[in-house]
Amino acid sequence: MTAMPSAQHYVRLSGEEFRSRLREALDIYVEAMRYPPGTAEQRAPMWLTHVLREGWRSVAALDDEGRLVGIAYGYRGKPGQWWHEQVRRGVVEREGEQTAATWLDDYFELTEIHVRPGAQGRGTGEDLLRMLLDGVPDSRVLLSTPEGDSRAWKLYRRVGFDDVLRQYRFTGDPRPFAVLGRALPLE
Ligand SMILES: CC(C)(COP(=O)(O)OP(=O)(O)OC[C@H]1O[C@@H](n2cnc3c(N)ncnc32)[C@H](O)[C@@H]1OP(=O)(O)O)[C@@H](O)C(=O)NCCC(=O)NCCS
């Protein structure tokens, strides 16, 4: 793994800025998640659609030459969105309607958070997460992450995310996922 310069500063991205950095952001995503190269082309239209959703916001970590080192974004979750319906199905099946309503009535979906592998482990992920969630008006934040021992897990536990669903299978993905959540604002 190539060592990367640490993030020098953080910026909020407008939709336009996000679009212009889409390629760079997808490169980080593919590298950080160790997905096959074609994944970027597949995901691009979806990431662009997300920009148009209510409550969408994004933060970026940049190095001293202005290159992207990390990216995070999310938006307000709502009925009818694929992820919302998948999570709702799981929570209703396992915990019932009441619990589903508690988690899913007013939440921000943390959709993506990725740091270039060579720049991980220096606090950039936590900085991105805190900046992204700062000022979010929703009362909870939810995310999904593959089950397993990872930096992502350590980060989410460290900032107080609890289990909403464990060992959950999203339609079309054979991997088990966890859905995690916590109340907002963060301390
Ligand atoms: C998850 C991810 C975004 C976290 O980003 P990160 O920059 O590595 O996270 P942080 O640096 O904030 O925290 C990770 C480690 O840095 C340590 N750390 C935090 N601040 C630090 C600092 N100032 N100096 C040194 N180390 C620090 C933490 O203790 C933690 O150590 P550990 O993982 O050994 O326990 C990143 O690891 C990543 O992109 N992973 C692959 C993609 C992924 O899984 N994305 C999430 C999918 S749901």
Side-chain angles (χ1 to χ4, degrees), residues 144-147 165-170 173 175-179:
S144 54
T145 191
E147 292 280 0
L165 279 175
R166 296 297 305 270
Q167 302 293 337
Y168 186 62
R169 309 273 170 168
F170 285 92
D173 195 329
R175 297 170 299 169
F177 275 79
V179 176

Side-chain angles (χ1 to χ4, degrees), residues 3-11 21 24 28 60-70 116 119 122 124:
M4 288 272 305
S6 299
Q8 296 296 307
H9 62 288
Y10 297 89
V11 289
R21 289 211 182 245
E24 237 184 321
I28 293 183
L62 305 175
D63 69 13
D64 54 4
E65 289 175 23
R67 290 174 303 207
L68 206 60
V69 172
R116 256 193 214 289
R122 301 176 197 161
T124 307

Side-chain angles (χ1 to χ4, degrees), residues 32-33 113-115 119-126 144-146 151-152 154-156 158:
M33 296 297 283
I113 179 163
H114 307 287
V115 172
Q120 291 174 10
R122 301 176 197 161
T124 307
E126 183 166 344
S144 54
T145 191
R151 274 220 160 107
K154 285 189 194 158
L155 170 61
Y156 301 146
R158 199 164 66 233

Side-chain angles (χ1 to χ4, degrees), residues 44-125:
M46 191 185 297
W47 285 30
L48 290 174
T49 308
H50 289 166
V51 177
L52 304 173
R53 291 193 170 170
E54 181 187 336
W56 178 90
R57 49 166 64 201
S58 175
V59 293
L62 305 175
D63 69 13
D64 54 4
E65 289 175 23
R67 290 174 303 207
L68 206 60
V69 172
I71 185 80
Y73 79 80
Y75 45 79
R76 179 169 163 78
K78 272 189 169 174
Q81 294 168 355
W82 183 85
W83 193 87
H84 177 100
E85 297 303 333
Q86 291 276 315
V87 172
R88 192 180 136 69
R89 181 193 68 187
V91 181
V92 168
E93 273 171 16
R94 294 193 195 168
E95 308 286 341
E97 290 281 350
Q98 187 62 49
T99 307
T102 305
W103 278 111
L104 292 164
D105 270 6
D106 178 26
Y107 74 98
F108 180 84
E109 180 191 324
L110 200 171
T111 314
E112 304 289 350
I113 179 163
H114 307 287
V115 172
R116 256 193 214 289
Q120 291 174 10
R122 301 176 197 161
T124 307

